[in-house]
Amino acid sequence: DAGITQSPRHKVTETGTPVTLRCHQTENHRYMYWYRQDPGHGLRLIHYSYGVKDTDKGEVSDGYSVSRSKTEDFLLTLESATSSQTSVYFCAISESGGRTYGYTFGSGTRLTVV
Amino acid sequence: AQSVTQLGSHVSVSEGALVLLRCNYSSSVPPYLFWYVQYPNQGLQLLLKYTTGATLVKGINGFEAEFKKSETSFHLTKPSAHMSDAAEYFCAVRPVNTGTASKLTFGTGTRLQVTL
């Protein structure tokens, strides 16, 4: 595989608690992305990063924040989890912004907010 | 903004039959186009992509797709379905030459069922 791991793989948390998901890559790729996958919606972009400390919002960024203090790690934080954030979260990486090889995806984190 | 539409959230075919999964994009300029496959409890895996050049693109596992500019389509096909092809398939689009701001936009997915 491409050297991208997500942790944890599964998490159950209570409404109102903060949650941090981690994406770690060993490919030294510049671009990293966080998507959420929900039935009927496909994958929707939450946030992305185009370098260390360079991040930007995607189409569904409300309630989420991200940080990238080093190339290999991209953290997604739910400041105060809500039931609507129950989803499967995928991290993706790319070398060229997806121009040449598309994205490589992690195995996902299944988050349940109760 | 660019978007993709996948016609049919569920498609069922018999083993050995033709697989056809439809994808149409909306863009004033032909974008980069991708097909991904997702097996249960896994991440997405790139099947094939169209960037430039030949409009008929061959991918892994016997799949291919043809870029048709006049129809704004990028349909995925496989001549003979196998049980192992059962999965969810996503079409995705990325604008050309728009730098770091460009991201992949995904369709809503098509779940392929293969029956005996």
Side-chain angles (χ1 to χ4, degrees):
Chain A
D1 287 348
I4 175 172
T5 56
Q6 293 183 233
S7 60
R9 290 296 312 277
H10 302 272
K11 185 171 182 65
V12 180
T13 192
E14 293 185 350
T15 298
T17 60
V19 177
T20 296
L21 309 183
R22 181 184 185 228
C23 179
H24 178 77
Q25 60 144 331
T26 57
E27 303 298 314
N28 201 36
H29 285 346
R30 177 182 177 187
Y31 301 90
M32 300 185 75
Y33 312 82
W34 276 107
Y35 284 86
R36 61 177 290 173
Q37 183 179 21
D38 303 287
H41 292 277
L43 278 80
R44 293 178 291 174
L45 182 66
I46 305 171
H47 281 279
Y48 68 101
S49 170
Y50 45 95
V52 173
K53 297 186 179 179
D54 291 324
T55 65
D56 205 348
K57 296 179 180 180
E59 62 177 308
V60 291
S61 60
D62 287 348
Y64 302 95
S65 63
V66 290
S67 66
R68 192 170 179 198
S69 59
K70 45 187 177 179
T71 299
E72 57 266 36
D73 288 326
F74 193 33
L75 305 180
L76 176 70
T77 297
L78 289 65
E79 304 291 345
S80 177
T82 68
S83 58
S84 65
Q85 293 175 313
T86 292
S87 186
V88 181
Y89 291 86
F90 286 99
C91 177
I93 61 174
S94 74
E95 186 173 18
S96 59
R99 283 193 300 273
T100 306
Y101 301 110
Y103 294 178
T104 301
F105 283 83
S107 298
T109 294
R110 184 174 296 275
L111 177 67
T112 303
V113 183
V114 298
Chain B
Q2 299 193 332
S3 65
V4 289
T5 301
Q6 292 185 240
L7 295 176
S9 59
H10 290 83
V11 170
S12 182
V13 300
S14 301
E15 190 174 35
L18 171 71
V19 175
L20 171 60
L21 305 182
R22 300 178 186 273
C23 173
N24 288 87
Y25 67 90
S26 65
S27 173
S28 57
V29 176
Y32 296 143
L33 293 156
F34 304 82
W35 274 101
Y36 284 83
V37 60
Q38 184 182 32
Y39 299 103
N41 299 314
Q42 295 186 25
L44 280 70
Q45 177 184 359
L46 182 65
L47 265 181
L48 49 79
K49 60 180 171 66
Y50 170 76
T51 53
T52 58
T55 56
L56 181 61
V57 179
K58 296 186 182 299
I60 61 173
N61 301 337
F63 284 92
E64 62 182 34
E66 186 171 11
F67 169 63
K68 292 186 177 180
K69 181 179 177 180
S70 61
E71 300 178 7
T72 62
S73 69
F74 191 57
H75 301 331
L76 182 70
T77 61
K78 182 174 181 177
S80 177
H82 191 272
M83 295 296 290
S84 60
D85 295 326
E88 189 154 22
Y89 293 80
F90 293 92
C91 183
V93 62
R94 182 198 183 277
V96 176
N97 296 329
T98 52
T100 59
S102 295
K103 288 81 65 183
L104 287 183
T105 299
F106 287 85
T108 53
T110 297
R111 186 169 297 279
L112 176 66
Q113 180 183 19
V114 181
T115 59
L116 289 173

